[in-house]
Amino acid sequence: MARSFRPQPRPRLLGFWLLVVAILVFGIVVVGGITRLTESGLSITQWDPILGAIPPLNDAQWQRAFDGYKAIPQYHAFNSGMTLEGFKHIFFWEYLHRLLARAIGTVLAIVLLVFWWKKWIPKGFGFRTFFILCLGALQGFIGWWMVASGLAVRTEVSHVRLAIHLLAAMLIYSVLIWTALDLLALDRGMRRVRLKFWPFVAILMLAVQLMLGAFTAGLRAGYAFASWPKMGDQWFPDGAWTHGKPLGFNLASNPIVVQFEHRWWAWAVAVAIFLLALAAWRARRPGRSVVLMLLVAMQISLGIETLLSGVQLSIAVAHQATAALLLAAMVWAANGVGLPSRGRR
C-alpha cells in the first residue's frame, strides 16, 4: 500500500529565495540611481508591462521611440540637439531599470506560486508572502505614476513621487530581508522576531533620510553647494528660505533647504544607528554591530564626497548603494536584537 506524505514546510529554501529577490531589489535601486542622475527616466514614454520587455529592434522602431521622447517637455528644455545615439544611451538605463523590475516580479511570483502549490510555506508566513507580492505589484504602478508626472507639463518627474517610488522599493527590500531572516531562524528552531520599538525608530529615521535623499536628487539640490561643512561661507545661506511660501514648500521643495536638511539629518540618523549597534552588541551580535558602524561611516564619507565632487556619477551612485546596504544592515541588526540568545521555540 502506497504511503501518503504530508507536505513539509521549507523555511530555509524560501528564505534563500527571498534573499535572492532582495539582492535583485538592491540592483534595481542602484540602476534607479544611475537612471535619475543621467536624466534617463523619461526616455521611455509608454508603459507596456508585457510587450515593453522587447526593446527597439530596427531603425524604424528606434526612430519611433525617439519621436516619443521628442514630444515631451524635457527634450525641448534640455536635449533639443540630442542625436539618436545619445537617445540610445539614456534609453538603455531606463530600459534596464524596467527589465529588472519585470525580472523581480517574475522571479517573486514564480517562487511564491511554487511554494504555495507545494505547500512549502511555513504556517504564519502565507499572509506575509502574499503581502510582499502585492507590494511588488503596487510598486509597478507607482513607477509609472512617477514617470507620468514628467510627460506633459514638467521637464522632470515629481521629486515627491520619486521619493515615494524609492521608499516603496526600500520597504519591499526590508520586508524581504526581515522575512528571510525569520524563516532562517525558524529553520534553526527559533521563534519569529517582533520588531522592537527603538530599532523601529532608528529604521524610520533612516527612511526620512532616504526621502530627503530622493528630494535632493529630484530637485538637483546636490548641485546647490559643493562645499562642506558650510554651504558656501555660511552654515545656512542668506535668502535661502523663501518667504511668503508655505512651510511645506520650503521643507520639501526648496533645493537649498532640502540640501541643508539632508546634510544635518544624517548626523541624527548616525546617532540612532550607533544606539542600534550598541543594542546589537549587548544582545551578543557583535558582527552586526561592527557592520553597522562601518557602513554608517562609509555612508557619511560618501555623502560629503558626493557634494565636494559636484555630484560625480560614480560617487553619487556609490552613496545610494551604500544607503541600501545600510538599511539591510539595520534590518539585520534589528532582527538580531529581537532574537533570543539561547531560547528556542
Side-chain angles (χ1 to χ4, degrees):
M1 185 174 177
R3 289 171 129 188
S4 60
F5 295 94
R6 291 185 61 189
Q8 293 297 317
R10 305 284 294 275
R12 184 179 181 84
L13 185 59
L14 180 56
F16 167 79
W17 276 110
L18 292 185
L19 287 177
V20 169
V21 176
I23 291 170
L24 291 174
V25 174
F26 172 81
I28 201 172
V29 168
V30 174
V31 171
I34 298 172
T35 302
R36 178 65 194 94
L37 291 166
T38 56
E39 302 286 354
S40 303
L42 295 177
S43 57
I44 302 178
T45 57
Q46 294 182 333
W47 188 50
D48 192 336
I50 307 300
L51 296 179
I54 304 172
L57 300 176
N58 54 49
D59 291 343
Q61 290 177 355
W62 274 114
Q63 192 58 53
R64 279 198 299 272
F66 192 20
D67 289 342
Y69 180 63
K70 287 179 178 180
I72 68 173
Q74 186 185 83
Y75 171 79
H76 297 285
F78 303 119
N79 294 319
S80 59
M82 176 177 279
T83 64
L84 181 59
E85 288 304 312
F87 171 72
K88 288 180 180 180
H89 175 74
I90 64 172
F91 182 96
F92 168 79
W93 289 112
E94 176 64 6
Y95 173 74
L96 180 60
H97 188 61
R98 296 192 187 195
L99 190 65
L100 272 172
R102 290 180 174 93
I104 290 168
T106 302
V107 170
L108 182 61
I110 290 174
V111 167
L112 295 185
L113 285 172
V114 168
F115 273 78
W116 284 330
W117 178 54
K118 294 281 191 179
K119 298 183 179 178
W120 286 348
I121 297 178
K123 184 178 179 180
F125 285 87
F127 174 78
R128 207 189 302 190
T129 52
F130 179 71
F131 176 66
I132 292 170
L133 192 61
C134 290
L135 283 177
L138 178 63
Q139 177 68 329
F141 288 102
I142 292 174
W144 175 246
W145 176 63
M146 176 193 69
V147 170
S149 68
L151 296 180
V153 178
R154 302 172 61 98
T155 58
E156 70 288 310
V157 300
S158 162
H159 65 286
V160 175
R161 296 189 188 187
L162 176 68
I164 293 171
H165 187 51
L166 176 64
L167 290 177
M170 291 302 195
L171 175 61
I172 294 168
Y173 180 66
S174 301
V175 174
L176 283 166
I177 294 171
W178 185 277
T179 304
L181 290 172
D182 274 357
L183 286 163
L184 295 175
L186 180 66
D187 185 65
R188 300 193 301 272
M190 305 180 81
R191 65 176 179 266
R192 284 183 293 166
V193 179
R194 287 188 177 181
L195 181 59
K196 292 187 174 180
F197 177 73
W198 174 247
F200 172 74
V201 171
I203 293 171
L204 193 61
M205 289 176 70
L206 179 64
V208 172
Q209 181 68 345
L210 292 171
M211 178 189 71
L212 292 173
F215 285 175
T216 300
L219 294 167
R220 302 181 183 87
Y223 298 100
F225 288 92
S227 57
W228 179 266
K230 294 183 178 180
M231 301 175 77
D233 297 324
Q234 299 174 294
W235 293 104
F236 186 79
D238 291 334
W241 192 269
T242 304
H243 296 284
K245 290 284 188 178
L247 176 66
F249 171 85
N250 279 288
L251 294 180
S253 299
N254 183 324
I256 297 174
V257 176
V258 166
Q259 191 194 111
F260 178 84
E261 293 168 335
H262 191 53
R263 283 171 176 240
W264 298 109
W265 183 250
W267 297 102
V269 176
V271 171
I273 292 172
F274 171 77
L275 295 175
L276 177 56
L278 186 62
W281 187 276
R282 288 175 175 171
R284 299 180 184 180
R285 315 289 173 188
R288 306 181 194 210
S289 179
V290 171
V291 168
L292 262 183
M293 295 311 299
L294 288 174
L295 282 173
V296 74
M298 184 186 304
Q299 179 67 344
I300 290 174
S301 299
L302 283 168
I304 295 171
E305 188 57 32
T306 299
L307 284 174
L308 296 179
S309 69
V311 194
Q312 183 178 319
L313 179 62
S314 58
I315 299 173
V317 171
H319 183 51
Q320 181 160 324
T322 306
L325 291 175
L326 181 58
L327 175 60
M330 290 182 74
V331 172
W332 186 38
N335 191 271
V337 168
L339 280 172
S341 296
R342 292 188 181 84
R344 289 180 174 271
R345 187 175 51 152

